[in-house]
Structure formats: structure tokens, C-alpha cells
Amino acid sequence: MATLSNLGFPRIGAKRELKHALEAFWRGDSTSRQLLDSSAQLRRRHWQLQRDAGADVVPCNDFSLYDQVLDTAFLFDAIPERYRALADTDPLAGYFALARGTQGGGHDLHALEMTKWFDTNYHYLVPELKKGQTFRLRGDKPVAEFLEAKALGFNARPVLLGPVSFLLLSKTVDSSDRLALLGQLLPAYIRLLRQLDAAGAEWVQIDEPCLVLDQGADDHAAYLKAYTALADVDGPKLMLTTYFGELGANLALVNKLPVAGVHVDLVRAPGQLDAVLDSLPVSRVLSLGLVDGRNVWRADLDHALALARRAKERTGDARLHIAPSCSLLHVPLDASVETALPGDLHGWLAFAREKIGELRTLADALADQPSAHTALKQARESLANRRRSDKVHRPEVAARIASLDAGASRRSSSHDERRRLQQAKLGLPLYPTTTIGSFPQTHEVRDARARNRSGKFSDADYDAFIAAETEKCVRFQEEIGIDVLVHGEFERNDMVEYFGEQLDGFAFTKLGWVQSYGSRCVKPPIIFGDVHRPRAMTVKWSSYAQSLTSRPMKGMLTGPVTVLQWSFVRDDQPRAATCRQIALALRDEVLDLESAGIGVIQIDEPALREGLPLRRADWQGYLDWAVECFRITASSVADRTQIHTHMCYSEFNDIIDAVAAMDADVISIETSRSRMELLDAFVKFRYPNEIGPGVYDIHSPRIPDTEEMISLLEKAGAVLKSEQLWVNPDCGLKTRGWPETRSALMAMVKAARAMRQAIAA
Ligand code: GLN
Ligand code: ZN
């Protein structure tokens, strides 16, 4: 029978036990012994759970106290100098210092940089390497976890991040070539493989996810060199594991590498199966990624079975593994506890545990086991039920989408014309000041919301509380002289959840946690059906805030691409189609705000860039629909209504055409940390509309002074016209406290005034 081998499992625990254990340890409320014991308990529970669900082979060393890339760096001693003393005296403290920085006890270390793991919402720590870097095996985590599983009676396969992807995911601090370090690194991998062999590991899963990216000749040479060296070990068989996309032009290379097995993702890239089978080296084991490790839906098992049968004709049973598309790290753990979901939704879901059950059914069905029949039949019924559900398909939504014409995504006049009318209406000075939306979400604000949710604080009292906070915020902005005000977003828990909760087609789980980084978890909404807005979502608080002041009040919305990007989305229609529905619902909100007298409306798209596909060739297709969706949301208003957008990242040089094509009247972006480096892009590209390059970093409690902000504005003035420039912080202020917010914004207003005076003089 084909072997069911899982590639990775959520580590955090059904009730976020790992988060709680970590945070207790960091606070000093528990010992390292207690932390390590809780971790071992979780590993054991998760192995058991996977075996009970039907896995033949369970992964080990997929567990991490913080992040698997950091684990790899630590394991091979890729520890930058500044952490070394601490790591040598207290490895655990050193490890957490790399992960999150540390202050006190004679140390003041900032953390490694963190960045997104491919196109997921998981963040990994970026190893810092340098020329001449040495590596050695330090500690024995993979071996210890293998032995731990073995002692408990589990058939475990250690998971390692492969040497080439490890280097490609790292950065060098001296801009030397990362791949030049491969020769240094390989002996450490070889040593580790020998140790795993001695411990009795038959297979090792070696992840090379970079093989689904565009890889050049140097990269190819590195893979060849690495795997030729590792093949010499004569140790465990290597399952070279790829996921998140198709091998494409890298397939020929993969076929040349001397490995015993290859795993391919047939959920993201089912089309690659034929090419993979046609060129499969003799005696190579093939692992098929058949259920989606990136989404929450039950699989179409008939479709997956057909793929598996095609493979089996070529490989036979002995050379076939059945697996999820990628590690199950990216989905919640257990759907069976989500009994409070609307309609039939519960029956349509498969989280990590259920996905292993689906793979069991597939493996059994592939071996013609009668036991698989009932499960296959149930899967078929659930899929049919979902396909015809009137909770999913709402003809009126489809009809509205169909009736959209090209005009729906175009403002009626050019920006110049709009600017004239907006100027006449708003009467703003040069260098107008504004903020990005949220003001400090203090403990009292969060506490009031929590008490309201649990029924301890009546709706009327909660509303009165929010109204009072909003009024304080408006008065404060008036007092210090901000030009375009915001209401402060005190009523919002989260910028996506707040909207999802008010839209049809969205559902929220109780325990559907997914790790974002370290101990931080998110509970993404599930978009299961056609999106429809039953009633206005933000008009109440925006118009209340506007009623308090004669200055312009900015309405605040989360944009369609960001809502999409931060949710689990339907897999029964293209992402673009779901995005268009969200865009239409938000368009209705924009119009309602405008009718309520809100003349400035901001549509935040902080996630636009992270939606970029992994391969360059797919970028334009994505950007086309993403920009179109933004424009559907934004374009229905009159010329005199001013549309803003906000993005919080500075690397947008390569998507600047798309950003300009969004045609927002004003865009605010993060730039303060890179000291306006981003503005380099504007030397070549003449950004046509108005722009507020963030003049101070809100991610830090540091209070910038006026001079600093003036110098940033002057830098911006060198490549942008003064009539184009706005003055604002680089993101929302919700994580800040009031004292620093007050001082920083006062300094910001002063900077804008100084700029105006300089021009008048
Ligand atoms: N309007 C949001 C806020 O100020 C924007 C948040 C974001 O960019 N992530 O909080
Ligand atoms: Zn932001």
C-alpha cells in the first residue's frame, strides 16, 4: 500500500498551549524545564493525534519553540557575533534573543529581521550571514526529537530545511554571495545526516521550497553540488520536498539530483503531474501532495484519487507516498470542535487533523480497501451539499458582478480635475496633516470591548464609551491642528474581522488559530459564500465623528485585497472573483459614507504587495485584478470626494506602476524607517497623484523631533512637488500609548507648519 507520510503539523496546540507556555516563560512565571516539558507533551499529543487519524509516518523536528528557520540557523551555529556570548552561556536565552531581542542583564540586543515565509502569513526569522562564515553542528534538536518519537513508538521522519533554501532565505550583512557559503555549510549537514542514520532514521524529509521559485544557473549549480555531497553520506534516504507551486523549469534539475524521493505539490500545481511522471527517474519514490495544506476546505477526494491512480500506474505502491500539499502548519488544528458555525459550514471544513483523515481515505481507496467507500461517499455528499448551498451562491451577487462595466472601475475625471474640485471643497493648506486611522487602543478600550462581548457591559454603555473616546480623539486632533481628522477606530477589534463580522459570506471559528510568528497566532475569517453587505458598516461612527467638527473627517475602510489576503478564501472560484465581490460590498459602503457627508474616504490596502505570486511571470495577472478591485471600491464617488489609500511597506519600487494605476487621490506609505529610500523610485517614475510618505515610525515608542521630520520632508521635496505632499505618520497608532502619540503628532504638525513657512518666505 502507498505510504501516508505527513510533512508537518501545527505546533501551537489546540488551545494555543505553546503560546501560553512561551509567554509564561518570557514573563519569568515558569522555568525552562516547564517550557520544555509542555513542548514535549505537545509533540507527543500531536504525534498520537496524527497516528490516530491514520498517518503511517509522522514528521519530527517540525516542532519549534519559535521558528524552523531560526532553528536551522541555531543548529548550524549561524549565530551573529552580538548574540554569541549569551548563546554560549545560556542557549535557550540566546535562541530567544535571536528571535525577539533582549534587554537587561548587561545585554541590549535587537532581534533578527522577520519576513514572510513565501506567500503565507507565517513569518520566519532571516538568518544573518557574512563572508567567511563558518558552520558547525550545535546541539542535537533533530536527533533528539527523532529519538523521542521513536521511544514513544512513533514511526517518525525528521524534517530539515535543505541547505540551498536555507542559504537563499538568509541574508548576508556584507552583501557577499550567500551561495558561496555552501561548501562551508555542507559538512555540518553531512554530520547531521550521519547522526540521524545512527539514530535509526530511515528517511529524512529535506525541504527545498525555493525550487518553486524562479531559480537561476547559480542556484541550480548549488542544488547539484549540495545533493551530490549529501548523497555520499550513504545514510537516510532523502525525500526532497517542494511545495507552494510547480517545479516548472526546475523539474529537469530535480530529476538530476541524487535523492531517493521527491515530493510535489499537486494542489497548487496539479498540472505538473504528467511532466513529473514522464520524467521520473527509475526507482525514485514519489510523494504526492494531494490535500490542501494552505486552506480549510474538505478535499475533492475523487479528483485527488484520480491523480493518485495515475501516479500509481507508473510507480506501483512501494514507490508512492500520499501527503498533504505542504506542512499543515498553515491550517488550524481540529475542525471537529467548531460546532457553532453557520449552516452546514462545519461539514465542509477539514483542518490539520481531518486532512490526515482524508489522506487515509485516499491511501485506502487507492488500495481498493472497502473501508474507504463510506468515507469517499461522505466526502462526495459534503462537496455536493456545498456546491448547491444557497448560503454559498446568491444569484443577486452574481447578477451585480455581471452588470459591472468598465466604467465601474474608473473615476469620471482625471486627477488634476478632481484635485481642483477637492481643493475648492476642502480648502486644505500645503503639506496637509493627517493620520492613518487608528489611535491608541488602550487597555480600557480593549477591556470595554471584551466586557461587552461577554455580556458584562451593555450595548448602550459600550456605545456611550466608544462615543466618548471618539470625541476625545477628535478634540485632541482639533486642538493640535491636524487638518484631516480621523475618528480613531476605537470600535474596531481588527481591521479585517471588523468588516468580516458585518458581511454575509464570512464565518469566524472559535479556535481556528494559525501561527503568525513565535507565540503570535491569528484566527483568519473564513470566506465561504458570496459576499453581501446587509447594511452600512462604518457610517454610524464616521458620521458621529464628523458631527463633532467642522474639519474634514476621513472615513476608514479596509480594502478588498487586504480582506481577501488575510482570510481563508473559497477554493470553488478564483481568488479574483471573491475579491470582486468584496470590492462591490465595500463600494456600497463608500457610497453610503459619501451620502452621509464624508468627503474624504481612505481604503487601506496594506496587504496588496504580499499577495504577489511567487513567480514573476504571474505578477501582472495578479496586479491587474487587484488594482481593478481597488478601483471598483473607490471609483463610484463624485470628483470632489477625495479617496485615500494606505500601504505599510517600503519595497514597492517594483510595483509602482500598479500603485499609480490604483488612482487614489492620496496615498500614504511607510518610508520613515528606510529614511525615504523608497523615494528613489520617484526619481524615475513621476508619481502623478498626492502622496504622504510617513514621516515617523509608529512601530517604536521613540518620539521623533520636528527637525528630523522636516529633513525627511525636504528629502521627499527633492523628488516630489510640494503640492503633492501630505504629512502623516507611517501607519496607524493603535499599538502606541497616548503620551508618545501626543508628543509625536504635535511635533509632526510643527514640521508641516515649518515647511509651509519656508515656502511662503
Ligand atoms: N487604518 C488602519 C489603522 O490605522 C491601517 C492599519 C494598517 O495599515 N495595517 O490602524
Ligand atoms: Zn499601515
Side-chain angles (χ1 to χ4, degrees):
M1 216 198 256
T3 310
L4 195 179
S5 348
N6 186 25
L7 305 182
F9 203 71
R11 332 155 157 143
I12 210 84
K15 299 194 170 119
R16 291 181 295 162
E17 291 88 339
L18 181 58
K19 173 194 178 69
H20 301 130
L22 282 167
E23 291 174 359
F25 175 69
W26 293 335
R27 278 195 309 269
D29 291 349
S30 72
T31 62
S32 60
R33 194 64 266 150
Q34 285 169 310
L35 172 61
L36 299 181
D37 284 349
S38 321
S39 309
Q41 268 175 34
L42 278 171
R43 287 194 292 269
R44 177 186 194 150
R45 192 183 309 154
H46 293 160
W47 285 324
Q48 187 65 46
L49 210 144
Q50 293 175 72
R51 186 161 69 192
D52 292 348
D56 299 318
V57 176
V58 296
C60 64
N61 196 43
D62 59 331
F63 179 85
S64 176
L65 284 173
Y66 207 95
D67 163 49
Q68 74 273 8
V69 181
L70 175 61
D71 290 350
T72 313
F74 205 77
L75 177 71
F76 293 122
D77 201 34
I79 298 177
E81 221 35 63
R82 63 182 185 279
Y83 308 96
R84 193 159 281 282
L86 183 58
D88 285 343
T89 45
D90 183 346
L92 194 58
Y95 175 85
F96 286 132
L98 283 149
R100 41 201 306 271
T102 185
Q103 244 173 350
H107 299 283
D108 185 5
L109 300 168
H110 56 88
L112 291 180
E113 181 187 322
M114 198 162 63
T115 196
K116 280 191 178 264
W117 177 246
F118 297 83
D119 58 355
T120 72
N121 279 328
Y122 176 82
H123 301 71
Y124 75 93
L125 287 146
V126 184
E128 265 177 35
L129 309 176
K130 61 171 196 271
K131 194 169 178 200
Q133 168 91 44
T134 59
F135 300 96
R136 73 185 170 100
L137 201 52
R138 169 186 191 116
D140 64 346
K141 180 177 182 290
V143 181
E145 285 181 20
F146 174 75
L147 290 172
E148 179 183 307
K150 192 170 151 189
L152 293 166
F154 294 102
N155 182 10
R157 185 173 68 180
V159 182
L160 303 179
L161 176 58
V164 181
S165 293
F166 171 71
L167 290 176
L168 292 176
L169 295 166
S170 303
K171 65 171 187 190
T172 50
V173 286
D174 49 14
S175 56
S176 60
D177 176 19
R178 293 164 294 188
L179 291 178
L181 298 168
L182 186 62
Q184 241 308 316
L185 178 60
L186 288 172
Y189 269 89
I190 289 172
R191 235 180 121 210
L192 175 60
L193 289 178
R194 293 222 166 92
Q195 292 183 4
L196 286 168
D197 189 44
E202 188 197 344
W203 279 92
V204 164
Q205 173 187 327
I206 194 149
D207 287 5
E208 290 286 8
C210 289
L211 282 167
V212 308
L213 306 178
D214 299 318
Q215 299 280 270
D218 290 353
D219 307 313
H220 280 200
Y223 290 105
L224 258 180
K225 174 174 169 170
Y227 286 89
T228 308
L230 298 187
D232 273 349
V233 175
D234 193 28
K237 291 183 267 188
L238 298 185
M239 178 62 77
L240 182 76
T241 302
T242 68
Y243 38 81
F244 300 154
E246 75 167 357
L247 287 168
N250 301 324
L251 175 62
L253 164 80
V254 166
N255 287 333
K256 269 192 266 170
L257 301 177
V259 290
V262 165
H263 171 84
V264 292
D265 183 339
L266 295 184
V267 173
R268 278 278 176 93
Q272 66 179 338
L273 180 60
D274 286 330
V276 168
L277 288 175
D278 287 346
S279 61
L280 192 71
V282 234
S283 82
R284 181 169 288 185
V285 173
L286 184 61
S287 165
L288 306 177
L290 292 171
V291 306
D292 195 349
R294 295 286 302 273
N295 212 334
V296 292
W297 306 105
R298 282 181 80 156
D300 178 345
L301 291 183
D302 289 319
H303 169 75
L305 189 57
L307 294 176
R309 287 209 166 109
R310 244 158 66 207
K312 186 181 157 179
E313 276 170 29
R314 303 284 188 91
T315 61
D317 278 324
R319 283 169 58 210
L320 194 63
H321 284 217
I322 302 285
S325 61
C326 59
S327 165
L328 298 173
L329 179 67
H330 310 290
V331 290
L333 199 142
D334 185 353
S336 70
V337 298
E338 301 295 340
T339 45
L341 292 168
D344 298 331
L345 180 55
H346 176 240
W348 304 340
L349 297 175
F351 294 174
R353 181 181 171 188
E354 290 79 18
K355 285 178 193 292
I356 295 181
E358 294 185 312
L359 290 167
R360 186 68 262 156
T361 301
L362 283 174
D364 291 347
L366 201 56
D368 297 316
Q369 302 264 339
S371 58
H373 286 166
T374 329
L376 276 179
K377 193 164 151 263
Q378 274 170 4
R380 227 169 268 140
E381 280 163 6
S382 136
L383 201 64
N385 167 282
R386 184 174 159 211
R387 284 200 176 125
R388 52 164 196 267
S389 166
D390 58 10
K391 292 273 182 312
V392 173
H393 307 281
R394 304 177 58 139
E396 70 277 18
V397 175
R400 277 193 75 194
I401 299 270
S403 72
L404 283 179
D405 56 21
S409 54
R410 255 198 329 259
R411 299 286 297 264
S412 16
S413 311
S414 70
H415 175 67
D416 284 343
E417 178 63 13
R418 294 181 336 239
R419 183 184 159 85
R420 216 174 41 73
L421 295 166
Q422 290 164 19
Q423 202 41 44
K425 177 170 176 213
L426 300 170
L428 297 171
L430 273 179
Y431 297 101
T433 49
T434 190
T435 61
I436 307 305
S438 58
F439 267 72
Q441 285 260 334
T442 55
H443 173 73
E444 294 81 73
V445 172
R446 277 177 282 123
D447 186 57
R449 183 177 315 119
R451 282 187 298 133
N452 176 241
R453 291 215 163 192
S454 64
K456 289 185 205 123
F457 194 40
S458 76
D459 288 350
D461 287 346
Y462 178 66
D463 268 23
F465 171 82
I466 296 290
E469 289 296 307
T470 306
E471 173 156 18
K472 262 193 283 182
C473 178
V474 171
R475 295 292 168 245
F476 166 71
Q477 295 170 79
E478 281 185 323
E479 216 174 276
I480 67 164
I482 302 256
D483 300 305
V484 174
L485 310 196
V486 298
H487 72 284
E489 302 183 20
F490 301 105
E491 76 287 9
R492 301 189 187 175
N493 39 1
D494 169 272
M495 64 184 291
V496 170
E497 201 170 332
Y498 184 75
F499 291 91
E501 280 177 341
Q502 302 187 69
L503 290 166
D504 290 348
F506 284 70
F508 293 84
T509 58
K510 265 200 324 262
L511 291 170
W513 296 104
V514 181
Q515 191 175 13
S516 172
Y517 60 88
S519 69
R520 177 155 168 83
C521 303
V522 293
K523 202 151 58 75
I526 296 175
I527 307 179
F528 66 91
D530 287 344
V531 177
H532 173 80
R533 188 195 70 141
R535 65 192 70 82
M537 303 181 282
T538 65
V539 173
K540 173 175 149 188
W541 290 115
S542 285
S543 42
Y544 168 69
Q546 181 66 85
S547 76
L548 299 172
T549 179
S550 55
R551 299 196 185 188
M553 176 62 57
K554 185 157 69 163
M556 279 299 150
L557 302 175
T558 303
V561 184
T562 299
V563 172
L564 183 86
Q565 197 60 31
W566 291 348
S567 302
F568 282 119
V569 291
R570 303 168 61 166
D571 60 353
D572 58 350
Q573 65 182 19
R575 291 172 75 80
T578 303
C579 198
R580 228 166 256 133
Q581 295 181 353
I582 304 168
L584 257 190
L586 291 167
R587 176 188 178 93
D588 295 342
E589 188 71 16
V590 166
L591 280 173
D592 281 349
L593 281 170
E594 185 184 50
S595 322
I598 304 296
V600 183
I601 300 168
Q602 177 170 310
I603 305 162
D604 292 326
E605 285 291 19
L608 187 103
R609 190 181 199 286
E610 69 184 50
L612 276 180
L614 295 173
R615 303 258 189 178
R616 277 246 173 196
D618 302 326
W619 280 20
Q620 200 53 50
Y622 161 77
L623 288 170
D624 286 348
W625 63 253
V627 169
E628 189 212 14
C629 286
F630 178 86
R631 293 175 61 134
I632 290 175
T633 300
S635 297
S636 57
V637 292
D639 286 346
R640 64 174 181 284
T641 298
Q642 188 171 64
I643 296 289
H644 290 220
T645 188
H646 165 71
M647 297 179 177
C648 29
Y649 36 81
S650 45
E651 335 79 56
F652 75 19
N653 295 14
D654 41 14
I655 59 162
I656 195 157
D657 297 275
V659 171
M662 290 163 77
D663 197 26
D665 296 302
V666 183
I667 176 175
S668 61
I669 42 168
E670 178 182 312
T671 38
S672 58
R673 255 203 268 194
S674 59
R675 311 241 359 125
M676 302 266 163
E677 265 161 43
L678 141 107
L679 296 172
D680 293 351
F682 297 120
V683 178
K684 283 182 238 106
F685 184 89
R686 295 269 136 213
Y687 186 75
N689 301 0
E690 293 158 66
I691 183 159
V695 291
Y696 81 87
D697 178 11
I698 64 89
H699 302 93
S700 152
R702 210 180 141 260
I703 299 163
D705 62 29
T706 304
E707 287 312 308
E708 211 174 310
M709 294 192 264
I710 292 177
S711 94
L712 289 176
L713 287 166
E714 282 169 346
K715 272 194 179 174
V719 286
L720 292 154
K721 290 187 272 206
S722 45
E723 311 83 73
Q724 283 182 288
L725 283 168
W726 282 64
V727 181
N728 45 258
D730 71 357
C731 196
L733 299 160
K734 59 174 164 274
T735 57
R736 295 273 59 88
W738 268 105
E740 74 251 24
T741 295
R742 251 182 224 116
S743 318
L745 290 180
M746 279 161 69
M748 185 186 89
V749 171
K750 254 172 123 179
R753 288 187 178 147
M755 293 301 288
R756 287 170 207 154
Q757 269 158 19
I759 286 200

